[in-house]
Amino acid sequence: MAEAKFDQVEYYKHDELLKPDYQPPKTNWMDTPVDFRPGSWIYPGKAKHLEYLGLPNPRDWAVTDDDWKLPENWKEIVHTGMRELLDKYRTFKIFMDICVRCGACADKCHFFIGGGDPKNMPVLRAELLRSVYRNDFTMAGKILGKFAGARPLTIDVIKEWFYYFFQCTECRRCSVFCPYGIDTAEITMMGRDLLGRLGLHVNWIIEPVANCFRTGNHLGIQPHGLKDTLEFFAEDIEEATGVKVKIPINKKGAEVLFVTPSGDFLADPGTYTCMGYMALFNEIGLDYTWSTYASEGGNFGLFTSAETIKRLNAKIYAEAKRLGVKWILGGECGHMWRVMHQYMDTLNGPADFLEVPKSPITGTVFENAKSTKMVHLMEFTADLIKHGKLKLDPSRNDHIRVTYHDSCNPARGMGILEEPRYVIKNVCNNFFEMPENTIREQTFCCGGGAGLGTDENMEMRLRGGLPRGNAVKYVQDKFGVNQLACICAIDRATLITVCDYWAPGVEVTGISELVVNAMILEGENDRKINLRLEPIGEKKEGADDV
């Protein structure tokens, strides 16, 4: 059956999305059916991608079908899978048992705030899974049933899981407010793992996973394609600055392997961020290399299962060993850093064949990367600025009035909070913070992470993006902000839609682009244009003093 598709943002009216209905349904949540309306769900994973990855139950099906073509023993598969996950992950067992339904997380999810659906309260979204756990794995549930919050596993429950576990961006904002430390993102990951055992994936996740497993990146870019792309960027850098940059690719014996998300190779404004990396490394003379095999920093396994995380993460370290580098430098990616910071050592083991990262430019030893041997670009760049290794003229960015979006995974998952701000304040004269309860650890999500950033899911993206869009609109109105900076490729892609809809006139940028636009490069021309090939100093709409 053909899927309905809404790919025009203009279809959704502000007046409708600005008035979410917080009135609870008249029926009990267990008896309230899922509303599979267009714009609120994502196309299923295609059979060819499941087949390539060796995943179960590859077949053609549609979300709008009555029959999702599950295996005959689907219930046994789920129960066995849940038992395995409960035995394997102590956190999963704890999170299933300790929630007291206090509601501290209830109004913290951007999807609930923007949509009003009670099942997008983190506590109730977790209850979708917890209720089955109680029914089949606890004595109280078996005896008291619904009275104890238990319910049997049915086809409708599976469909409900699919709908709501793919309306969670795993941003973990709710976990900041939970008095028991329950990480609802982990529960979402377990729910998606169980769905995957039935062959229930969304294509926006499983196709990038298959591409990455096959070619080393989410986009399926072949080695010659990556080389051509970087050469094209080098030409634009030379046009903008007069400087011809070197492009080391698959260079054995380089000191540093650089890995960034493949979104930086494909779409604006990520392309300008990538150009920023290249110009920065060339200017400081960094002995580094790109890899055409490990050409992806992102890891969509985080949105699928722990086993998939492991399969995809391994390629970076395999390539680091093959090329004989000393350590790894990572670009402006979001979920790459949660994988590296929280999962890498457990799943792939300590990278003992590499050295503790030491900046060859400043001599700084990054002790915080002693185990993973991988440094975040913002740590590296902030260190360069602190030691006076970059010649900067922040007035070159005076046409920009910028605010900063804390990307969920580097912020909450890794604690990268001050380094990006330090860098921005040194390359821009006009920096303005969004409201305090929308930044740092309490930052709102872009609304399109964890594989949700696809057009057929547009209503939920816009609803989920409302809290962030509202904060951007606030600083736009108060301070004339016209650019939103972030350090995540998914954010750079999805926040364009969020800003265009909720705060028109605000553009999205990576930080490395701002850095290089402010840098005085050796041998540069009389710089008249920036990396976007736009005139330097030209006022943008909304840039007048407020």
Side-chain angles (χ1 to χ4, degrees):
M1 179 176 177
E3 308 282 18
K5 182 175 182 180
F6 290 88
D7 57 3
Q8 299 297 321
V9 176
E10 292 78 7
Y11 174 83
Y12 299 101
K13 306 302 181 184
H14 277 79
D15 290 346
E16 298 174 7
L17 296 191
L18 274 173
K19 298 176 182 178
D21 182 8
Y22 295 111
Q23 187 69 29
K26 295 181 180 179
T27 52
N28 182 281
W29 74 264
M30 290 189 188
D31 303 318
T32 304
V34 176
D35 178 17
F36 282 102
R37 62 186 182 279
S40 66
W41 45 266
I42 308 172
Y43 297 154
K46 295 179 180 178
K48 64 179 181 180
H49 303 311
L50 275 67
E51 289 173 353
Y52 183 83
L53 292 165
L55 297 176
N57 197 24
R59 80 279 185 212
D60 293 321
W61 64 288
V63 174
T64 49
D65 292 342
D66 290 333
D67 182 6
W68 283 14
K69 303 178 182 178
L70 301 182
E72 290 186 6
N73 63 333
W74 65 269
K75 192 174 293 189
E76 177 187 351
I77 291 172
V78 172
H79 283 145
T80 300
M82 186 175 287
R83 187 174 295 107
E84 289 177 0
L85 295 175
L86 289 167
D87 291 342
K88 187 175 184 179
Y89 299 106
R90 183 172 58 180
T91 52
F92 184 36
K93 178 70 165 61
I94 291 172
F95 294 161
M96 288 292 97
D97 286 333
I98 67 173
C99 178
V100 295
R101 307 181 194 176
C102 69
C105 67
D107 61 345
K108 306 306 186 295
C109 177
H110 43 282
F111 285 115
F112 174 70
I113 294 172
D117 187 337
K119 293 181 186 178
N120 271 329
M121 293 179 179
V123 58
L124 189 45
R125 190 189 294 116
E127 205 70 13
L128 305 180
L129 192 60
R130 190 177 286 119
S131 57
V132 174
Y133 162 76
R134 288 198 186 102
N135 189 77
D136 298 320
F137 293 89
T138 71
M139 186 60 67
K142 291 177 180 178
I143 295 175
L144 300 176
K146 195 173 183 179
F147 185 75
R151 63 172 177 169
L153 182 63
T154 66
I155 292 291
D156 286 339
V157 168
I158 293 297
K159 292 184 176 183
E160 187 179 54
W161 284 3
F162 181 88
Y163 187 74
Y164 287 103
F165 288 137
F166 288 106
Q167 283 185 18
C168 171
T169 52
E170 302 181 18
C171 81
R172 303 170 69 241
R173 188 173 192 265
C174 52
S175 67
V176 173
F177 298 90
C178 178
Y180 290 88
I182 295 173
D183 188 343
T184 308
E186 294 279 349
I187 297 174
T188 292
M189 291 170 67
M190 298 300 153
R192 291 186 180 186
D193 185 309
L194 293 172
L195 290 171
R197 296 171 188 235
L198 301 178
L200 298 173
H201 300 271
V202 296
N203 203 60
W204 196 246
I205 293 175
I206 210 64
E207 181 173 349
V209 168
N211 285 342
C212 198
F213 197 61
R214 183 175 65 254
T215 68
N217 60 74
H218 294 159
L219 303 174
I221 302 172
Q222 300 288 343
H224 63 279
L226 178 60
K227 180 176 181 293
D228 290 346
T229 297
L230 296 178
E231 289 175 349
F232 177 78
F233 291 166
E235 292 174 2
D236 277 359
I237 294 170
E238 187 172 7
E239 181 179 350
T241 68
V243 176
K244 187 175 182 64
V245 302
K246 297 177 181 178
I247 312 173
I249 298 176
N250 298 333
K251 176 185 174 183
K252 289 194 173 183
E255 183 164 356
V256 176
L257 170 63
F258 180 66
V259 182
T260 195
S262 57
D264 289 347
F265 306 138
L266 178 71
D268 300 342
T271 53
Y272 308 124
T273 305
C274 191
M275 291 162 63
Y277 307 146
M278 297 167 67
L280 172 64
F281 299 157
N282 187 80
E283 178 67 14
I284 64 177
L286 183 66
D287 180 17
Y288 83 106
T289 184
W290 298 88
S291 165
T292 56
Y293 170 66
S295 53
E296 178 64 70
N299 190 321
F300 273 30
L302 185 62
F303 314 145
T304 311
S305 68
E307 183 58 33
T308 311
I309 293 177
K310 181 177 180 179
R311 291 173 72 179
L312 299 184
N313 192 54
K315 68 183 184 301
I316 297 176
Y317 287 88
E319 188 69 341
K321 179 178 285 188
R322 185 185 77 85
L323 294 175
V325 301
K326 293 181 179 179
W327 55 279
I328 305 170
L329 180 62
E332 296 185 24
C333 181
H335 61 281
M336 167 170 69
W337 290 103
R338 188 177 179 211
V339 169
M340 292 298 171
H341 192 59
Q342 298 185 345
Y343 294 97
M344 183 266 160
D345 279 351
T346 301
L347 295 176
N348 295 105
D352 294 335
F353 60 92
L354 296 174
E355 299 178 8
V356 177
K358 178 180 178 180
S359 172
I361 313 302
T362 67
T364 297
V365 177
F366 295 95
E367 292 286 350
N368 60 303
K370 190 172 184 178
S371 181
T372 63
K373 311 300 193 296
M374 190 165 182
V375 173
H376 193 290
L377 186 65
M378 285 300 104
E379 299 173 287
F380 183 75
T381 305
D383 179 63
L384 292 173
I385 294 174
K386 180 181 178 182
H387 287 87
K389 298 301 182 180
L390 304 182
K391 295 180 181 179
L392 300 170
D393 178 6
S395 69
R396 290 179 172 180
N397 284 323
D398 276 355
H399 60 295
I400 295 171
R401 300 174 71 83
V402 65
T403 190
Y404 176 64
H405 164 72
D406 290 276
S407 301
C408 300
N409 285 302
R412 276 189 288 266
M414 193 182 179
I416 299 290
L417 302 172
E418 301 307 324
E419 293 89 343
R421 290 174 168 82
Y422 177 80
V423 173
I424 292 174
K425 290 175 182 178
N426 276 275
V427 302
C428 294
N429 290 322
N430 304 306
F431 173 68
F432 307 92
E433 289 278 20
M434 286 181 280
E436 190 173 333
N437 64 335
T438 72
I439 59 174
R440 292 187 166 87
E441 290 90 345
Q442 296 187 40
T443 186
F444 277 111
C445 181
C446 66
L452 275 60
T454 179
D455 286 355
E456 69 267 20
N457 192 44
M458 188 57 73
E459 179 190 334
M460 294 313 301
R461 284 179 58 187
L462 294 175
R463 289 189 182 279
L466 170 59
R468 171 48 74 224
N470 188 47
V472 175
K473 179 64 173 172
Y474 173 82
V475 290
Q476 182 188 34
D477 290 344
K478 187 171 183 178
F479 303 115
V481 162
N482 54 33
Q483 280 207 8
L484 174 65
C486 59
I487 53 172
C488 170
I490 290 179
D491 284 337
R492 283 192 291 275
T494 59
L495 284 173
I496 293 174
T497 301
V498 169
C499 289
D500 285 349
Y501 192 83
W502 294 116
V506 176
E507 296 181 341
V508 179
T509 180
I511 295 181
S512 294
E513 175 189 351
L514 301 177
V515 171
V516 171
N517 282 337
M519 284 176 62
I520 302 172
L521 306 174
E522 184 177 349
E524 69 177 19
N525 58 17
D526 182 15
R527 303 237 330 241
K528 301 293 186 183
I529 54 178
N530 58 27
L531 293 180
R532 300 191 182 201
L533 305 182
E534 299 172 342
I536 287 177
E538 184 175 277
K539 289 272 188 179
K540 294 179 180 292
E541 183 180 351
D544 294 330
D545 292 337
V546 176

